[in-house]
Amino acid sequence: MPELLTVAATPADLYAARVQMAFSLGWHIVIACFGVGMPALTVFAEWRGRRTGDPDYLRLAHQWAKAMGVLFAVGAVSGTILSFEMGLLWPGLMATYGQVLGLPFAMEGFAFFIEAIFLGIYLYAWDRLPPRQHVLSGLPVCVAGIASAFFVVSANAWMNQPRGFDLHAGTVTRVNPWAAMFNPATPPQTVHMILAAFMVAGYGIASVYAVAMLRGRRDRYHRLGFLVPFTAAAALTPVQIVVGDWAAKFLATNQPVKLAAIEGLTQTRAYAPLSLGGVYVDGELRYAVQIPNALSILAHWRPDALILGLDQVAPADRPPVNPVHLGFQLMVGIGFALLALALWFALAWWRRRDLPRSPWFLRFAAATGVAAAVALEAGWVVTEVGRQPWIVWGVQRTADAVNPAPGLVTGLVAVLAVYTVLTVATVYVLNRMRTRPVTAPQERGAQEHVP
């Protein structure tokens, strides 16, 4: 079997498999972020509404819970597609290393079922459980969503830092799934991803209400709908930048080729500059603004620290530089733009307990949902493309893991069709929910709000 799987697919099939996996992951990861971050915002709004008797908090919680149910169903579909793709597109990976990285996927399955069960209870029992018990029934949804993200990302972290096995003549021995799951990349990568999920969910929800406020709907319901998720996301933004720095320092030590691709650094050198912008052409980074010594200082706290370049490995073992470099630049640029907006909001709130008066604040806030999702996708490109040509870093090449069967392009076309239908259906349902009147469960027939 391993010998069969090392027969490479055609370049077209390999490309189709990579595009299909990238598209599926890129689609699912945005939906999954709402599954991680939205339950906490919803439960907080309900808890606040129950505690203060404020019906606007309860209306928001009720509306967000319904949207959460829709997104969970959609995410279950895309997540199931991904689980099949792991086996169908990459049998070389799963046949050889499935016993090593199976534990986090199994644990993610348990977390998924816990999330599904308690989400069902939370949605069904709005007016069937005592208020305190209903709020408490939402907490397992919050925990399970975060746990799911942790387990899935720890499996991906293992692909960047494979641990928990020995490899002898192509045979895996002495498997330790716990060591694999808690590999060195798990802490920075999982924390970075979970924070990103909360930011995408927070900014994504806030942007909807920012648009409504720009259209003149500035009542308390819409202000709270903006303030709660935006405040949460804004508070996490500086934390995420610190964690991102942690993740970059980790790459400098443990995955230096990826850092070299991020910076477009061809030659190994001390006093390495930090490059802003630029394009990698003919083996060098051009048109970039360089800050002297900054990369060495950021990576190792010393200007004379040695930064390994792309020349440390053979050309065949280097990732494509431009997608990684530009993806990183885009992610960091958006991150600092979100930080500036968060500081503007914090300063206005500290001085006047109100939003900034300039309409540009809400215009920028309306764009944060898309911006956060773009930063998420750019970061994921850095993580995945920066590992190439390896599917398991330094151990197994992507080309050796792909399904050798011909016709993978057909699967790509089918998946694109499925995701097109899924996207249209999701947008249609969420838009229908957005335009329907909103009431808290206990006030049927009372004044209705249109979000």
Side-chain angles (χ1 to χ4, degrees), residues 102-127:
L103 177 63
F105 286 127
M107 299 289 285
E108 197 276 336
F110 285 112
F112 171 79
F113 285 118
I114 291 172
E115 185 178 5
I117 291 168
F118 280 94
L119 180 60
I121 294 172
Y122 190 75
L123 293 175
Y124 178 75
W126 262 102
D127 47 3

Side-chain angles (χ1 to χ4, degrees), residues 156-417:
N156 182 269
W158 176 85
M159 296 165 74
N160 289 309
Q161 293 290 304
R163 297 289 191 280
F165 67 97
D166 288 339
L167 192 63
H168 297 288
T171 302
V172 172
T173 61
R174 300 183 62 187
V175 174
N176 184 343
W178 292 102
M181 189 165 75
F182 292 98
N183 64 81
T186 293
Q189 202 170 323
T190 53
V191 174
H192 199 39
M193 180 64 230
I194 290 170
L195 288 176
F198 274 93
M199 289 174 63
V200 169
Y203 284 127
I205 298 171
S207 65
V208 174
Y209 292 90
V211 171
M213 293 175 72
L214 284 169
R215 293 175 177 174
R217 298 171 187 166
R218 300 199 174 221
D219 54 84
R220 179 173 170 73
Y221 170 83
H222 288 90
R223 282 177 57 84
L224 288 176
F226 174 80
L227 281 171
V228 172
F230 188 88
T231 302
L236 291 176
T237 300
V239 182
Q240 177 69 311
I241 290 175
V242 173
V243 172
D245 179 65
W246 173 28
K249 284 183 169 59
F250 178 85
L251 293 181
T253 305
N254 297 277
Q255 215 170 358
V257 176
K258 184 181 287 186
L259 181 64
I262 286 173
E263 289 299 323
L265 186 67
T266 303
Q267 302 295 328
T268 299
R269 58 174 292 185
Y271 303 98
L274 183 71
S275 300
L276 305 179
V279 180
Y280 196 77
V281 181
D282 296 332
E284 64 176 326
L285 190 65
R286 300 180 180 179
Y287 316 118
V289 176
Q290 295 192 326
I291 304 175
N293 307 332
L295 180 58
S296 291
I297 294 173
L298 287 173
H300 299 291
W301 303 107
R302 293 184 294 110
D304 62 343
L306 192 69
I307 302 296
L308 299 178
L310 291 166
D311 59 351
Q312 66 183 293
V313 297
D317 292 340
R318 299 173 187 173
V321 175
N322 275 325
V324 181
H325 173 69
L326 296 176
F328 186 80
Q329 298 284 315
L330 181 61
M331 175 186 67
V332 173
I334 291 175
F336 276 97
L338 293 175
L339 177 64
L341 195 66
L343 292 176
W344 187 5
F345 167 72
L347 179 63
W349 196 263
W350 174 65
R351 294 178 63 185
R352 299 185 291 105
R353 288 291 188 273
D354 201 357
L355 296 174
R357 291 170 178 165
S358 171
W360 281 104
F361 174 77
L362 283 178
R363 289 170 187 159
F364 287 134
T368 56
V370 173
V374 170
L376 173 78
E377 299 284 5
W380 200 244
V381 167
V382 173
T383 299
E384 296 302 292
V385 180
R387 193 183 59 242
Q388 300 305 316
W390 307 97
I391 193 168
V392 182
W393 175 254
V395 176
Q396 185 180 48
R397 290 179 179 274
T398 306
D400 294 335
V402 72
N403 193 329
L408 297 185
V409 176
T410 305
L412 169 62
V413 173
V415 165
L416 290 177

Side-chain angles (χ1 to χ4, degrees), residues 3-245:
E3 290 77 8
L4 174 64
L5 294 175
T6 55
V7 177
T10 65
D13 283 323
L14 175 60
Y15 180 78
R18 292 183 65 181
V19 171
Q20 180 176 335
M21 199 70 195
F23 187 84
S24 299
L25 276 170
W27 201 96
H28 178 75
I29 195 171
V30 176
I31 302 297
C33 284
F34 284 89
V36 175
M38 203 165 182
L41 296 171
T42 305
V43 171
F44 171 80
E46 186 191 358
W47 169 78
R48 189 70 180 161
R50 304 285 190 195
R51 185 179 178 85
T52 63
D54 189 330
D56 288 320
Y57 274 110
L58 293 176
R59 291 189 191 101
L60 287 170
H62 197 224
Q63 182 76 348
W64 292 349
K66 289 190 292 184
M68 198 165 63
V70 172
L71 293 174
F72 180 85
V74 173
V77 174
S78 58
T80 302
I81 293 174
L82 274 171
S83 64
F84 280 109
E85 286 176 340
M86 288 293 291
L88 291 173
L89 297 179
W90 313 109
L93 169 68
M94 300 311 293
T96 307
Y97 298 105
Q99 57 188 314
V100 183
L101 79 163
L103 177 63
F105 286 127
M107 299 289 285
E108 197 276 336
F110 285 112
F112 171 79
F113 285 118
I114 291 172
E115 185 178 5
I117 291 168
F118 280 94
L119 180 60
I121 294 172
Y122 190 75
L123 293 175
Y124 178 75
W126 262 102
D127 47 3
R128 294 177 174 83
L129 281 176
R132 179 188 295 270
Q133 293 180 20
H134 186 261
V135 172
L136 292 176
S137 72
L139 295 181
V141 183
C142 305
V143 175
I146 295 172
S148 289
F150 174 84
F151 292 130
V152 171
V153 178
S154 69
N156 182 269
W158 176 85
M159 296 165 74
N160 289 309
Q161 293 290 304
R163 297 289 191 280
F165 67 97
D166 288 339
L167 192 63
H168 297 288
T171 302
V172 172
T173 61
R174 300 183 62 187
V175 174
N176 184 343
W178 292 102
M181 189 165 75
F182 292 98
N183 64 81
T186 293
Q189 202 170 323
T190 53
V191 174
H192 199 39
M193 180 64 230
I194 290 170
L195 288 176
F198 274 93
M199 289 174 63
V200 169
Y203 284 127
I205 298 171
S207 65
V208 174
Y209 292 90
V211 171
M213 293 175 72
L214 284 169
R215 293 175 177 174
R217 298 171 187 166
R218 300 199 174 221
D219 54 84
R220 179 173 170 73
Y221 170 83
H222 288 90
R223 282 177 57 84
L224 288 176
F226 174 80
L227 281 171
V228 172
F230 188 88
T231 302
L236 291 176
T237 300
V239 182
Q240 177 69 311
I241 290 175
V242 173
V243 172
D245 179 65

